[in-house]
Amino acid sequence: MEVLKVDPERPERAALEAAAQAIMRGGVIGFPTDTLYGLGCSLFDVAAVELVGRLKRRDPTHAFISLIPDPTQALGLALSVSPVARKLIRECWPGPLSLIFMAAEIVPVGVRGAGGTIALRCPRDTLSHALLQRFGGPVVSSSANLSGRPPAETAEEVVATFGNQLDLVLDGGPRRGGVPSTLVDVSGPRPKLLRRGDLDVTQWLGEFDDQSHGSG
């Protein structure tokens, strides 16, 4: 397992290429996301997604969020995109908003969430976006920590927790105090606000169910 230092604002091409190649080979990497450090793998590699869950000792029924390089990719990964979802994508992506859709047939059953859903986010962060662009497709992203423990804020913490179980770690410096993304379920006829995070989206939701219970 190698650790590659990168400039988070001007990430080096070679480091991005190495990380993208590791994902393409079915590996799991550690990298700084738009919030904290995360573990990443290809959405379409069921074995790699399952490995992320095992590494984190995570409840296998919990779905992951996938990061996409371009908002338009949601149209291919979601079975349908409602008018409210289109408005949220237009107004809030790239940005700290995760949306839950019914998954299209292209999404492997083994990586779908409860009821056949998929959660997506298009990050604004320079390094995350550059990695996603280089890989070209959706990357499953889950906070780099054991389930129930605080998320890693540095590459050193990622290595200390997971070590050689990962293929590669991108060290983009510390990511401290990251606020979780806002989470909205747009898979049904009425939006559900599941988590209040870094972005207030209520102005675009219209009539919605608030299931966030004051989180945020």
Side-chain angles (χ1 to χ4, degrees):
M1 192 265 307
E2 59 180 333
V3 179
L4 299 178
K5 285 192 174 291
V6 289
D7 182 334
E9 294 305 320
R10 297 182 190 81
E12 294 77 7
R13 186 181 200 74
L16 295 175
E17 178 69 23
Q21 287 293 336
I23 296 171
M24 290 174 191
R25 291 194 301 267
V28 176
I29 70 167
F31 70 110
T33 73
D34 49 332
T35 52
L36 293 156
Y37 269 77
L39 302 182
C41 69
S42 170
L43 170 68
F44 295 110
D45 192 320
V46 176
V49 176
E50 290 174 347
L51 176 58
V52 170
R54 290 199 302 275
L55 290 175
K56 287 172 57 71
R57 302 173 194 167
R58 191 172 186 263
D59 184 339
T61 63
H62 289 178
F64 292 105
I65 291 173
S66 291
L67 305 181
I68 53 176
D70 188 275
T72 59
Q73 282 200 3
L75 303 179
L77 295 167
L79 188 62
S80 63
V81 180
S82 68
V84 168
R86 287 180 186 274
K87 185 183 297 184
L88 290 169
I89 289 171
R90 185 175 65 247
E91 300 290 343
C92 305
W93 278 3
L97 169 67
S98 299
L99 296 174
I100 297 175
F101 303 90
M102 291 303 298
E105 286 187 13
I106 192 176
V107 179
V109 173
V111 301
R112 298 181 194 179
T117 56
I118 182 171
L120 302 172
R121 182 165 82 248
C122 182
R124 184 184 295 119
D125 175 72
T126 301
L127 177 53
S128 296
H129 187 256
L131 173 60
L132 294 166
Q133 288 278 27
R134 182 63 199 87
F135 179 63
V139 171
V140 163
S141 175
S142 184
S143 56
N145 62 298
L146 299 178
S147 187
R149 303 294 297 274
E153 296 182 339
T154 65
E156 289 80 7
E157 290 176 14
V158 177
V159 172
T161 302
F162 298 105
N164 286 325
Q165 298 176 102
L166 303 181
D167 292 72
L168 178 147
V169 175
L170 288 179
D171 182 355
R175 297 280 163 120
R176 304 205 185 280
V179 179
S181 61
T182 301
L183 181 61
V184 180
D185 185 340
V186 289
S187 65
R190 185 180 171 105
K192 298 174 185 174
L193 179 59
L194 302 182
R195 182 175 69 210
R196 293 178 183 268
D198 202 30
L199 186 66
D200 182 1
V201 299
T202 53
Q203 61 183 307
W204 296 296
L205 292 181
E207 294 289 321
F208 71 96
D209 296 328
D210 188 351
Q211 299 181 4
S212 61
H213 306 298
S215 65

